[in-house]
Amino acid sequence: MDLPHPGLALVPRPRELRPRPGRFRLDSTTRLRVTPGTERAAALLRSYLAPATGLRLEHADDGTVVLALDAALGLGAEGYGLTVGAHGVLLRAARPAGLLRGIQTLRQLLPHQALSDRPRPLPHWELPAVDITDRPHHTWRGAMLDVARHFQPASYLRRYVDLLAFHKLNVLQLHLTDDQGWRMPVAAHPRLTEVGGWRRESMTGPAGSDRFDGRPHGGSYTRAELAGLVAYAAERGVTVLPEIDMPGHVRAALAAHPELGNDPGRRLDVWTRWGVCENVLGVGDHVLDFFRTVLDEVMDVFPSPYLHIGGDECPTVEWENSPAALARAAREGLRGPRALHGWFLARIADHVLRAGRRPVAWAETGITLPVDCAVMSWREPAHAWAAARRGHDVVHADHRTTYLDHARGPGPLEPPAQPGPVVDLPTVYGLELTPEAPDPRLEARILGAQGQVWTEFVTTPEHIEYLSFPRLCALAERVWHPTPDWPDFRARLAGHLLRLDALRVPHAVPPRPPAHTAV
């Protein structure tokens, strides 16, 4: 297959693209016509282009680059139409979100040097003439970043948002709490970050290893940092989805507040190991009230219509040996202590719903979630379709196709990764979002898909980006365009990698291991 012109090697692939003769030249005389309702998009375009090109794109009523809202366009909330000709550029959308998607296409049409954050003095820049009509196939196009296992500063999260937006991904899920760290500030319970935000060392091998690095690790965000991130992401059309994991994956919270556990007299540290910890929340009313308060503060900071309440990997051995948990199960008429897992999540989900939000939870075998709870299916694709049949909205997150902390490929040069199958680029692109037998009712329940970067073995931004790209390019295309075409994607990706280079994304060279010695 012939490689497409680099300027037309767009990722994700637009629904319709028709090359035209000619090119449009941008230079210091180019002006932007900013029509009502497009001010936010215009500001974003200027902020993206100014560092490398120096172009100011000031407003003029007769500007040759026009941004316009057109309610009659008929391409949905995120669709857009883009026309580039020799004498002008017209970007139209029915809604502001569509303009934001079109701006990312404009960026990709420019020479890749225009993506740099360093000045690239050229007398002019050119766009290939083209007609594009575009809209997404799925509304949920996400990436999850685990900042609980290894903390990353808010400044880096902004860069990650920009990389997601560049690929028209629109959800950043932040995994803010786990056994190994609590990153979410809660004014009513400051010990959650003061104590739960730090561990004395970290395991350096896989779960069950006896190797540790001997170095304290921790950190947490301020409300101002998270509110700033939410605003920054919204300007780029990305929703930040917070995850507060429960009733398992809570060892950091128990270290800060032992009274939340099943043995209040026991003092625990923030977990230094990987794997599944058997320490889980107790099921008393005071525990539910505590986490309702936590979620109220989370919802104050994050306006996302969804809130992730975790729900995965919850051992029940403590409940099976707790008189209080056994009494709760009997009092609630449950089959036994194992049923407390779903009971707990239902109580938390109800609180989220009463606040006007939609709860999201990881699908788990044997756990039935309230039907108003959206489901992230990570264990088995069959779980996704079973949830859809029960009436749940579903996000595909199968660990065999979307867990980007698994190795990109075989070989000794690959950095440490989760044990399990290799998740290479063709595997991610092969993500299946339709049932084996066509069923429009089930397909309508599929919100989209999401890539996951768990960070047990991932300590640096460079490692995060090496794992994310280009695999997130593949996922972005599969949730944007309804028809997969692997050979065409591979051809376009060759040109797109030049853009990743310009953005300084280390997609090709494995990162160096951390500069410390295991003890």
Side-chain angles (χ1 to χ4, degrees):
M1 174 180 289
D2 293 335
L3 292 180
H5 184 281
L8 299 181
L10 302 177
V11 176
R13 176 164 54 115
R15 289 291 188 100
E16 298 178 25
L17 184 153
R18 295 177 296 278
R20 304 174 63 192
R23 304 182 73 79
F24 178 78
R25 176 177 293 189
L26 295 97
D27 57 28
S28 61
T29 68
T30 303
R31 296 293 181 264
L32 190 63
R33 192 192 315 174
V34 183
T35 61
T38 68
E39 296 84 0
R40 169 182 160 196
L44 182 65
L45 179 61
R46 291 177 180 126
S47 70
Y48 276 142
L49 297 188
T53 69
L55 298 176
R56 300 178 64 182
L57 296 179
E58 295 176 342
H59 170 76
D61 289 339
D62 61 349
T64 53
V65 178
V66 181
L67 306 183
L69 289 176
D70 181 356
L73 194 59
L75 292 173
E78 295 183 271
Y80 66 93
L82 175 62
T83 299
V84 179
H87 303 293
V89 175
L90 174 60
L91 173 60
R92 298 182 302 149
R95 302 283 295 276
L99 293 177
L100 301 181
R101 307 300 170 232
I103 281 173
Q104 301 300 341
T105 299
L106 269 175
R107 295 178 70 204
Q108 292 195 17
L109 288 171
L110 282 164
H112 64 268
Q113 295 89 342
L115 300 172
S116 174
D117 58 359
R118 300 181 179 92
R120 303 287 186 182
L122 291 176
H124 66 269
W125 300 80
E126 291 187 344
L127 288 166
V130 68
D131 275 326
I132 293 175
T133 302
D134 202 9
R135 61 186 174 89
H137 188 53
H138 291 287
T139 58
W140 190 302
R141 307 180 304 279
M144 188 283 298
L145 184 57
D146 170 12
V147 293
R149 271 55 174 264
H150 279 102
F151 178 75
Q152 296 296 334
S155 57
Y156 176 68
L157 300 184
R158 292 189 177 208
R159 169 173 166 82
Y160 202 66
V161 162
D162 274 317
L163 293 174
L164 300 186
F166 187 60
H167 294 89
K168 300 184 177 70
L169 295 168
N170 65 348
V171 177
L172 170 59
Q173 178 180 330
L174 285 183
H175 185 73
L176 289 163
T177 70
D178 214 297
D179 296 309
Q180 298 85 2
W182 185 287
R183 314 300 177 204
M184 175 69 204
V186 180
H189 303 296
R191 284 177 57 85
L192 286 171
T193 50
E194 292 171 358
V195 175
W198 294 86
R199 62 178 181 266
R200 69 177 184 275
E201 61 182 357
S202 304
M203 182 177 281
T204 57
S209 170
D210 59 358
R211 293 182 287 123
F212 295 84
D213 63 8
R215 298 176 54 174
H217 178 82
S220 60
Y221 302 107
T222 66
R223 284 177 66 102
E225 285 177 326
L226 292 174
L229 173 67
V230 166
Y232 184 89
E235 290 169 357
R236 288 148 179 80
V238 176
T239 297
V240 183
L241 169 70
E243 180 187 356
I244 306 297
D245 212 344
M246 62 183 95
H249 288 283
V250 291
R251 174 74 170 253
L254 297 177
H257 289 277
E259 71 275 13
L260 300 175
N262 292 284
D263 183 357
R266 180 172 49 176
R267 294 297 180 264
L268 299 169
D269 59 358
V270 178
W271 218 34
T272 60
R273 296 180 172 274
W274 312 136
V276 179
C277 180
E278 70 175 19
N279 304 123
V280 301
L281 293 176
V283 291
D285 290 341
H286 67 291
V287 179
L288 292 167
D289 288 341
F290 184 101
F291 275 86
R292 290 179 182 122
T293 298
V294 168
L295 294 183
D296 286 344
E297 293 205 27
V298 171
M299 289 186 281
D300 281 344
V301 175
F302 295 93
S304 165
Y306 292 90
L307 191 153
H308 205 303
I309 58 174
D312 60 322
E313 296 178 327
C314 181
T316 59
V317 62
E318 287 193 339
W319 291 337
E320 292 165 11
N321 291 285
S322 164
L326 293 170
R328 170 67 91 175
R331 191 162 62 249
E332 299 293 336
L334 303 177
R335 296 187 308 275
R338 294 189 178 186
L340 287 167
H341 186 179
W343 174 88
F344 189 101
L345 289 174
R347 299 303 176 277
I348 294 297
D350 180 68
H351 182 72
V352 174
L353 287 165
R354 288 175 182 271
R357 309 290 183 91
R358 288 284 307 280
V360 187
W362 300 105
E364 273 294 3
T365 303
I367 302 300
T368 300
L369 296 166
V371 72
D372 288 321
C373 192
V375 169
M376 280 191 175
S377 175
W378 69 283
R379 285 194 183 272
E380 297 286 344
H383 287 176
W385 304 117
R389 290 186 187 94
R390 290 194 300 268
H392 293 278
D393 290 336
V394 176
V395 177
H396 279 278
D398 182 10
H399 70 282
R400 284 160 295 199
T401 54
T402 72
Y403 272 35
L404 307 183
D405 53 321
H406 284 234
R408 290 176 26 161
L413 296 181
E414 286 298 308
Q418 289 284 6
V422 167
V423 179
D424 58 15
L425 190 66
T427 298
V428 177
Y429 197 82
L431 172 68
E432 187 53 69
L433 296 170
T434 56
E436 291 185 5
D439 189 331
R441 293 175 301 172
L442 294 185
E443 292 180 31
R445 287 291 179 185
I446 303 305
L447 298 176
Q450 181 169 284
Q452 280 58 241
V453 181
W454 302 102
T455 60
E456 288 93 333
F457 308 105
V458 185
T459 62
T460 66
E462 294 77 14
H463 196 170
I464 290 170
E465 292 178 19
Y466 176 78
L467 293 176
S468 297
F469 298 99
R471 290 185 291 181
L472 273 183
C473 303
L475 185 138
E477 172 143 325
R478 291 294 289 110
V479 288
W480 182 271
H481 198 283
T483 307
D485 187 334
W486 170 251
D488 182 67
F489 171 74
R490 285 289 295 172
R492 282 179 287 110
L493 185 63
H496 187 69
L497 294 180
L498 297 175
R499 301 186 186 109
L500 296 184
D501 290 335
L503 291 167
R504 294 182 290 111
V505 174
H507 61 88
V509 180
R512 293 183 178 182
H516 60 72
T517 302
V519 296

